[in-house]
Amino acid sequence: MAKIHLTRCQHLSPFVDILNNLGTPAASLLERFRLPASLEEKSDHYVPILPAIEFAAFASRSQGIEDFGFHAAKTLHFGHLSERTRILIRHSPTLLVALQQACKWASLEDSNLSNWLEYHDDHARYCSRLAGTKGLQHLEHSQWLQNVFPIYIVRQFAGPDWAPATIAFEARYTPGPACQSFWPTSRFLSGQGASWIDVPVSLLALPNRSNESSIDLNDHVQHSGFDFIQVLKLMLPSYLDERPPMLAEIAEMAGISARSLQRQLSRAGFTYSGLVDAVRFENARQLLRNTDSKIIEIAFASGYADPAHFTRAFRRIAGVTPGQFREQWRPR
């Protein structure tokens, strides 16, 4: 079965910000790896993770940026996790429950990410691994993010200064001096079976520091074990305001022929152009319902050539104009 693994644009943005601050033409590098050239306001959209890792590795080499993943991870914090993940953590009664929930719903952040807990004497390991990346070089850029987010989760319970005794990487990687001085009490291991941080077992019973009331955790998330069509529907909105990938490019990302991709789409009742049209409509519908953006801004953000084209296409699917649709959803 064809597979395209995804990550949230939020996880790619800190790498781009570093390049922009250095005066590097990040947009051209993104385009080189068939990633959206503009990531503004796309934090909860998704992009393919393998070209994202290749982009970070190439930028690190070509710009001479040591510990690129470390510097990117430094700019992230708990608020950069998806809203659903944050809800889960803030409503978990103890740190153990929070880590268990973060493991269960890891694919909300990266569709191919697996997290799990292992127990070793007086500490637990929060482990992570990306499927489909075996043999890929320079995974430390991604693994920094895989390790830093559970650190921020623990800090929601143990306080803002907590640091793990060990930060381990699946990649064969040795952090530089700046990294080691930033984490002076942590030792670093490389070439492990997975990436992981250690958490003292004594901390797992810590109560939540937030005052959020308890909820039924499972009512607020949907598992992201997506099929291929769902993956495309998640990925394509990142490209709507630019040029959506051609069918042949999507096929290459999935490691299949264009003909095989067409057959998969056909079995699901789609053509590729029809799928793109459906994604454009859904993106526009969400913006009309949930934002105050002007109609013309929504048209361009959803990939329509002009407002008139947008109005015709929207009316063909919804039976009403974009303005009429928005009026239906305004509070009365």
Side-chain angles (χ1 to χ4, degrees):
M1 175 65 70
K3 192 75 173 177
I4 299 175
H5 299 301
L6 304 178
T7 188
R8 289 175 61 232
C9 288
Q10 179 71 78
H11 302 160
L12 185 58
S13 293
F15 295 95
V16 173
D17 291 342
I18 290 172
L19 293 173
N20 287 333
N21 289 336
L22 292 174
T24 302
S28 62
L29 287 179
L30 288 165
E31 290 176 342
R32 174 174 180 160
F33 290 91
R34 287 181 296 193
L35 295 165
S38 172
L39 296 177
E40 291 85 357
E41 301 180 356
K42 294 180 181 178
S43 60
D44 288 321
H45 288 180
Y46 289 84
V47 293
I49 192 169
L50 294 183
I53 293 173
E54 292 168 354
F55 158 80
F58 179 84
S60 175
R61 292 194 307 273
S62 64
Q63 303 303 311
I65 306 173
E66 185 180 25
D67 283 334
F68 200 12
F70 157 67
H71 291 294
K74 273 203 310 182
T75 71
L76 296 173
H77 52 75
F78 180 75
H80 285 117
L81 288 166
S82 69
E83 181 181 6
R84 288 178 174 178
T85 300
R86 296 197 308 272
I87 288 173
L88 288 168
I89 304 309
R90 286 174 174 155
H91 291 83
S92 294
T94 65
L95 174 57
L96 175 60
V97 174
L99 293 176
Q100 289 172 335
Q101 291 296 321
C103 289
K104 182 177 181 181
W105 303 107
S107 54
L108 289 174
E109 305 298 327
D110 295 309
S111 67
N112 61 332
L113 179 63
S114 296
N115 290 345
W116 68 94
L117 289 171
E118 295 179 356
Y119 292 90
H120 298 263
D121 298 326
D122 62 348
H123 68 275
R125 290 179 181 175
Y126 184 96
C127 305
S128 64
R129 183 184 296 130
L130 288 172
T133 59
K134 187 175 181 179
L136 195 65
Q137 298 296 309
H138 305 294
L139 284 172
E140 67 271 12
H141 303 306
S142 173
Q143 289 165 8
W144 259 115
L145 275 60
Q146 292 167 227
N147 282 332
V148 79
F149 280 127
I151 291 173
Y152 294 148
I153 291 172
V154 176
R155 286 178 173 178
Q156 298 300 302
F157 295 78
D161 298 324
W162 181 85
T166 304
I167 302 176
F169 296 85
E170 189 178 353
R172 297 199 174 277
Y173 155 72
T174 302
C179 171
Q180 301 206 26
S181 65
F182 189 84
W183 297 95
T185 63
S186 301
R187 67 168 180 158
F188 293 91
L189 298 177
S190 71
Q192 301 292 295
S195 299
W196 53 270
I197 65 166
D198 59 356
V199 182
V201 169
S202 59
L203 298 184
L204 297 180
L206 285 175
N208 205 320
R209 294 159 63 93
S210 84
N211 294 319
E212 304 278 358
S213 58
S214 180
I215 59 169
D216 184 349
L217 298 172
N218 291 326
D219 285 346
H220 287 260
V221 293
Q222 296 176 356
H223 196 276
S224 49
F226 305 116
D227 65 25
F228 188 66
I229 302 302
Q230 289 173 310
V231 165
L232 292 181
K233 287 182 176 180
L234 279 174
M235 186 184 81
L236 286 171
S238 298
Y239 296 87
L240 291 180
D241 59 347
E242 302 174 20
R243 178 186 69 81
M246 305 295 287
L247 183 141
E249 293 174 318
I250 294 291
E252 185 178 345
M253 291 178 192
I256 60 175
S257 68
R259 186 177 294 275
S260 294
L261 174 56
Q262 287 175 319
R263 283 198 295 267
Q264 288 200 28
L265 290 167
S266 179
R267 283 195 293 269
F270 287 100
T271 63
Y272 183 59
S273 61
L275 179 64
V276 172
D277 286 344
V279 171
R280 281 181 173 140
F281 169 78
E282 180 58 26
N283 189 74
R285 190 177 71 89
Q286 293 292 337
L287 292 174
L288 288 166
R289 287 182 56 178
N290 301 325
T291 76
D292 293 323
S293 299
K294 296 178 180 178
I295 299 293
I296 187 172
E297 294 171 344
I298 292 174
F300 292 139
S302 300
Y304 293 97
D306 55 62
H309 177 209
F310 174 40
T311 297
R312 289 194 301 271
F314 194 92
R315 187 186 328 212
R316 185 175 66 249
I317 297 174
V320 294
T321 67
Q324 290 169 333
F325 177 85
R326 170 174 272 175
E327 189 64 29
Q328 291 173 358
W329 284 95
R330 291 188 185 279
R332 301 196 183 275

